[in-house]
Amino acid sequence: MTPSYHHGDLKTVLLAYARAQMENVSIDGLSMREIAKAVGVSHTAAYRHFTDKRALLDAVAVQGFEELRQACQAAADDVAAEDAADDARARLKACGLAYVRFALASPRLLAHMFIAVSDAQASAALMSAGAQLFEVLCMRVAEGQERGVFRSADTRQLSHACWALVHGLSTLLGAGLLKGDANPHGEAMDSAGQAIDTFLDGLVDHSARK
Amino acid sequence: MTPSYHHGDLKTVLLAYARAQMENVSIDGLSMREIAKAVGVSHTAAYRHFTDKRALLDAVAVQGFEELRQACQAAADDVAAEDAADDARARLKACGLAYVRFALASPRLLAHMFIAVSDAQASAALMSAGAQLFEVLCMRVAEGQERGVFRSADTRQLSHACWALVHGLSTLLGAGLLKGDANPHGEAMDSAGQAIDTFLDGLVDHSARK
DNA sequence: TGTACATCAGTGAACGCGCGTTCACTGATGTAC
DNA sequence: TGTACATCAGTGAACGCGCGTTCACTGATGTAC
């Protein structure tokens, strides 16, 4: 792609820069003019691809949700699917850890995603991207229930609890708020793993225990 | 306090308006000029009480942390302190529910508080306010461990997990993301209660179980 | 109690700035014949 | 293959705006004697 009047890939490049800048600096202070300038294009060119600033920021959020969903899905799929009873548990845990990993890598993007999706007038695409993420978690919980590993309460209710734990861990770890104790640095994932295990101990079907 | 040249209580009023406006509208789009205007004062008067915009926003956050801490403390204290074994559990749960209640009443304030405190150059007052909130949770967990109700893992580590769950519930419920399923409206607190119970089932000392 | 004066808490004009968005435009690209 | 033309993806000047902050100021308050 030779440098030319027509950029050819501007939309992708704008999104990539917006995401990077949001992560490296801050969500506020990210302006259409700055993005365009950094990308080497006139400050109105972006309007050829996004109706307004909100559309661009929403697109970044949608992309984030999609990426996070894939990471969670892939992490769960990577856990060998033998018939061992604890398999479903391991898959759910892997899923949660992937979520936390994403948050540690991109804390501000995660924050932006949830601010965007919780806006009263969020776009359908955004809502759907968020819902699909939740579905991945939900399916893992359902799987565990089917195999009799998890208690048989309402699946979505249990999934909400899982999501909350993992999202809370992600937010707090991503914000650096769980440091300084037994967790000086780099041990964030370990800490998250322990928290998830504690929670999963509560999720198991106690009636089925020996 | 008669209306006069000297307002007498301007600092308090500025903070109150900033908090209300943040909650009702949004954190961005909250300007020093707007706050001053709404309070009926020249747009530079606020600088008599806050060195800059950041100082004002930080003060709002500190106030929020303080209020949340008191709510959690009070909720735990309200649970009768008999010697029943499950008392510590009930107190921790009450504490968590108070946190969620605060989040449902003031979701944007909560979001602002955590954005502010996780800033790399957050003020000492802010960091301390956040830390004190965590201590309230921590003490409940420690209490449960002393009484042999909770497992005896590292107290702060377990407290982190509690905080994460409750904070995640608060964020997701506050953002309205857990609606539309078995949770049409108004049942947010019930949902949070169930999630906390599930988690607490994992927190109990299984070795001590009969 | 009365007066002089320091301090405090406001005012309002002015600064410079970057922002989102519009508009008429122009150069590049692709397509129909 | 060559040409005419529609469409597409950029440009850059211009718009109006609200922002945070500064400054020299003034009116109100409190205190010492």
Side-chain angles (χ1 to χ4, degrees), chain A residues 19 64-79 90-107 110 113 133 136-137 140 163 166-167 169-170 173 188-190 192-193 196:
Chain A
R19 172 180 170 163
F65 273 115
E66 177 61 16
E67 198 178 308
L68 176 53
R69 203 206 84 233
Q70 279 175 8
C72 289
Q73 184 77 261
D77 290 349
D78 278 357
V79 175
R91 286 154 78 85
L92 181 54
K93 182 179 176 182
C95 201
L97 286 175
Y99 197 111
V100 173
R101 203 173 295 115
F102 178 91
L104 287 171
S106 307
L110 187 76
M113 284 154 54
L133 170 61
V136 171
L137 257 175
R140 291 298 131 226
W163 193 14
V166 164
H167 189 74
L169 284 169
S170 295
L173 286 169
M189 290 303 295
D190 288 355
I196 292 173

Side-chain angles (χ1 to χ4, degrees), chain A residues 29-191:
Chain A
L30 185 63
S31 74
M32 293 297 267
R33 296 174 102 108
E34 183 205 338
I35 295 169
K37 189 177 179 186
V39 161
V41 111
S42 117
H43 68 269
T44 59
Y47 289 90
R48 200 57 53 183
H49 301 281
F50 300 96
T51 65
D52 54 18
K53 189 183 183 184
R54 188 204 175 90
L56 191 155
L57 290 176
D58 277 8
V60 171
V62 168
Q63 218 175 55
F65 273 115
E66 177 61 16
E67 198 178 308
L68 176 53
R69 203 206 84 233
Q70 279 175 8
C72 289
Q73 184 77 261
D77 290 349
D78 278 357
V79 175
E82 295 156 25
D83 268 1
D86 269 24
D87 229 45
R89 177 174 170 149
R91 286 154 78 85
L92 181 54
K93 182 179 176 182
C95 201
L97 286 175
Y99 197 111
V100 173
R101 203 173 295 115
F102 178 91
L104 287 171
S106 307
R108 291 202 235 239
L109 173 59
L110 187 76
H112 167 65
M113 284 154 54
F114 280 83
I115 288 168
V117 84
S118 67
D119 188 291
Q121 32 197 339
S123 72
L126 199 42
M127 301 289 278
S128 157
Q132 280 176 262
L133 170 61
F134 177 65
E135 288 310 317
V136 171
L137 257 175
C138 228
M139 283 176 63
R140 291 298 131 226
V141 172
E143 179 189 41
Q145 289 183 306
E146 278 161 24
R147 299 194 185 185
V149 183
F150 299 151
R151 55 170 69 176
S152 60
D154 180 77
T155 305
R156 301 188 83 78
Q157 162 63 33
L158 287 187
S159 302
H160 283 164
C162 291
W163 193 14
L165 175 72
V166 164
H167 189 74
L169 284 169
S170 295
T171 305
L172 298 181
L173 286 169
L177 291 176
L178 302 187
K179 290 199 191 121
D181 305 316
N183 190 35
H185 66 286
E187 301 169 19
M189 290 303 295
D190 288 355
S191 180

Side-chain angles (χ1 to χ4, degrees), chain B residues 4-6 30-33 43-44 47 52-53:
Chain B
S4 74
Y5 190 81
H6 279 197
L30 185 63
S31 73
M32 293 298 266
R33 296 174 101 107
H43 67 270
T44 59
Y47 288 90
D52 55 18
K53 188 183 182 183

Side-chain angles (χ1 to χ4, degrees), chain B residues 8-29:
Chain B
D9 205 22
L10 186 55
K11 186 168 186 175
T12 309
V13 174
L14 289 170
L15 282 173
Y17 179 83
R19 173 183 170 160
Q21 199 63 7
M22 169 183 300
E23 202 52 68
N24 296 332
V25 186
S26 111
I27 293 163
D28 323 315

